[in-house]
């Protein structure tokens, strides 16, 4: 209040953060080196890490206390680029790690990582490694999965590589699973059934995503902000597509307009107005009358009907049928030529056999005639001899 020279100095926080602060203040905290920890049911919980080394290797014990959990925000003041948690840690709270983190090693015995998007705020993260253990998580090539690899939990935002194919075991992409990765250009989802909210949000380099015929559900904003992806083929196996799932990007101009004209937009009768617009040039390859076809029509997204995915391209089915028909005609022609040649060869063979038989018959007849002539000659010779004897 200017008249009384009074100014309020509030710091606004969410209810969740407020509750965390109150819980933190109630802890019996102790300091040891770069670490602050608290005893909870006789076990140690890291509450603050001020490590300055490039790699922070968290000890399994501090002052003889076994470290089994990591508290909310514990490493936010840690300047290390790599953090290695000991095999004793079984629980990790939400919002634990700093933004500059590049490599993280988690205990294979970890049974809980809190938060739906546990690594959303780590834009420089390149790898997540899970050691051997009996916990709830696993890793492969720096990607975080649940234990049996049926769910891909986090593909690091700065992980290197332009192409990625999910293991056959993966059925679900978790919320924000690939969120804001800047390197991926092509992703093949081998046997995935569900794509979670914001799964590929902000993957600006992504140009192609291959969706499998096993896919059933694509949640809201799944591909929001994939500005380099100008097309996607959606199989008719999909029976649930949420709002802004395909083809949308954040529109800053629209966002500013909404902010400046809230009352006008409110009169449109929409509860929530999102500042998203369809990406220019984006189109969907769909089956006619499928859910994806209806989604595209409702969103004003151009569609291409009746295509199949062949050798990395969406090819018109009629073109495929034409090729198949032409190939079939060529095959029939070849078969006809081969068959004709075989028939001709058979006729030639039969004619040859007939000629051989006729020649054999002629030879046989000639031989028989010669034998008959020889017999006649011998007979006449005998008669002449007998006649000569009679005369004598």
């Amino acid at each position: 209040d200017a008249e009384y020279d009074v100014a309020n100095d509030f710091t606004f926080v969410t209810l969740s953060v407020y509750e965390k602060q109150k819980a933190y203040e109630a802890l019996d905290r102790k300091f040891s080196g770069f670490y602050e920890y608290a005893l909870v049911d006789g076990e140690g919980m890291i509450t603050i890490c001020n490590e300055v080394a490039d790699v922070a290797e968290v000890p399994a014990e501090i002052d003889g206390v076994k470290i089994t959990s990591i508290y909310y925000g514990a490493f936010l003041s840690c300047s290390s680029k790599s953090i290695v948690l000991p095999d004793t840690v079984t629980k990790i709270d939400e919002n634990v790690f700093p933004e500059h983190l590049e490599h993280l090693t988690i205990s294979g015995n970890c049974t809980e990582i809190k938060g739906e998007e546990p690594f959303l705020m780590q834009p420089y993260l390149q790898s997540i490694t899970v050691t051997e253990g009996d916990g709830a998580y696993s890793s492969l090539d720096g990607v975080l999965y649940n234990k049996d690899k049926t769910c891909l939990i986090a593909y690091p935002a700065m992980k290197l590589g332009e192409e990625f194919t999910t293991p056959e075991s993966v059925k679900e992409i978790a919320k924000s699973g690939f969120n804001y990765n800047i390197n991926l250009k092509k992703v093949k989802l081998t046997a995935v059934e569900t794509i979670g909210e914001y799964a590929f949000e902000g993957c600006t380099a992504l140009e192609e995503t291959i969706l499998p015929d096993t896919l059933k559900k694509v949640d809201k904003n799944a591909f929001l902000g994939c500005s380099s992806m100008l097309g996607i083929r959606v199989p008719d196996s999909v029976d649930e597509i949420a709002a802004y799932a395909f083809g949308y990007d954040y529109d800053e101009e629209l966002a500013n307009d909404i902010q400046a004209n809230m009352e006008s937009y409110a009169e449109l009768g929409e509860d929530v107005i999102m500042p998203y617009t369809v990406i220019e040039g984006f189109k969907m390859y769909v089956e006619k009358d499928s859910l994806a076809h209806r989604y595209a029509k409702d969103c004003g997204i151009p569609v291409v009907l009746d295509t199949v995915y062949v050798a990395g391209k969406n090819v018109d089915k009629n073109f495929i049928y034409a090729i198949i028909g032409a190939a079939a005609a060529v095959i029939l022609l070849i078969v006809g030529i081969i068959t004709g040649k075989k028939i001709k060869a058979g006729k030639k063979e039969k004619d040859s056999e007939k000629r051989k038989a006729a020649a054999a018959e002629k030879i046989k007849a000639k031989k028989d005639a010669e034998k008959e002539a020889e017999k006649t000659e011998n007979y006449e010779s005998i008669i002449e001899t007998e006649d000569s004897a009679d005369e004598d």
Side-chain angles (χ1 to χ4, degrees), residues 54-211:
D54 193 52
V55 179
E57 295 191 18
V58 179
E61 287 188 0
I62 299 178
D63 298 336
V65 177
K66 182 180 178 181
I67 302 300
T68 61
S69 60
I70 310 296
Y71 191 65
Y72 176 87
F75 288 86
L76 295 184
S77 58
C78 173
S79 60
S80 302
K81 292 183 178 180
S82 297
I83 296 174
V84 180
L85 301 181
D87 288 340
T88 53
V89 171
T90 59
K91 294 183 180 181
I92 301 172
D93 210 337
E94 59 185 332
N95 195 32
V96 164
F97 303 106
E99 287 189 5
H100 58 262
L101 182 65
E102 295 180 1
H103 303 281
L104 174 65
T105 300
I106 297 171
S107 164
N109 298 313
C110 184
T111 58
E112 181 182 15
I113 302 174
K114 287 187 177 180
E116 288 186 295
E117 305 161 286
F119 301 102
L120 181 63
M121 303 306 294
Q122 281 70 51
Y124 301 100
L125 190 61
Q126 297 178 30
S127 68
I128 303 171
T129 303
V130 180
T131 62
E132 292 294 324
D134 299 322
Y137 304 94
S138 65
S139 66
L140 180 65
D141 296 329
V143 180
L144 181 65
Y145 302 87
N146 63 350
K147 186 64 175 179
D148 59 3
K149 293 184 176 63
T150 56
C151 178
L152 188 152
I153 298 171
Y155 187 99
M158 196 65 80
K159 178 175 168 58
L160 300 177
E162 294 184 352
E163 296 188 9
F164 177 74
T165 299
T166 57
E168 290 281 351
S169 59
V170 175
K171 305 300 179 187
E172 177 184 0
I173 306 299
K175 183 176 181 179
S176 300
F178 288 83
N179 201 281
Y180 289 103
N181 180 277
I182 64 170
N183 297 312
L184 277 173
K185 290 186 177 180
K186 180 179 180 180
V187 173
K188 182 178 181 181
L189 307 180
T190 310
V192 170
E193 297 176 2
T194 301
I195 299 175
E197 298 177 26
Y198 303 96
F200 292 88
E201 181 191 11
C203 293
T204 54
L206 187 62
E207 298 174 355
E208 181 181 8
T209 303
I210 301 174
L211 304 179

Side-chain angles (χ1 to χ4, degrees), residues 185-345:
K185 290 186 177 180
K186 180 179 180 180
V187 173
K188 182 178 181 181
L189 307 180
T190 310
V192 170
E193 297 176 2
T194 301
I195 299 175
E197 298 177 26
Y198 303 96
F200 292 88
E201 181 191 11
C203 293
T204 54
L206 187 62
E207 298 174 355
E208 181 181 8
T209 303
I210 301 174
L211 304 179
D213 290 334
T214 56
L215 188 63
K216 300 294 183 185
K217 177 181 178 181
V218 184
D219 219 325
K220 67 180 182 181
N221 304 311
F223 291 89
L224 180 65
C226 297
S227 53
S228 296
M229 191 168 71
L230 299 182
I232 191 167
R233 182 175 183 272
V234 183
D236 57 4
S237 60
V238 177
D239 54 25
E240 185 175 348
I241 301 176
Y244 308 108
F246 299 108
Y248 283 89
D249 198 1
Y250 182 80
D251 189 327
E252 187 173 350
E253 184 177 340
L254 177 59
N256 292 334
D257 190 55
I258 292 172
Q259 186 68 30
N261 302 282
M262 289 296 294
E263 292 184 4
S264 298
Y265 279 96
E267 290 175 0
L268 297 176
E270 297 183 30
D271 295 331
V272 180
I273 303 166
M274 305 305 294
Y276 307 146
T277 54
V278 175
I279 296 170
E280 185 177 354
F282 182 81
K283 55 188 173 183
M284 294 176 63
Y285 297 84
V286 299
E287 294 298 317
K288 187 176 181 180
D289 298 327
S290 64
L291 178 64
H293 188 192
R294 298 196 298 274
Y295 167 87
K297 288 171 65 178
D298 289 344
C299 298
I301 296 173
V303 298
V304 180
L305 301 175
D306 298 324
T307 63
V308 291
Y309 190 78
V310 179
K313 301 291 183 182
N314 289 294
V315 183
D316 189 284
K317 286 182 178 180
N318 293 324
F319 178 70
I320 295 294
Y321 296 152
I323 291 177
I324 292 173
V330 171
I331 291 171
L332 289 173
L333 179 61
I334 293 171
V335 170
I337 292 171
I338 293 172
T339 304
K341 286 183 177 180
K342 286 184 177 180
I343 291 171
K344 288 181 180 179

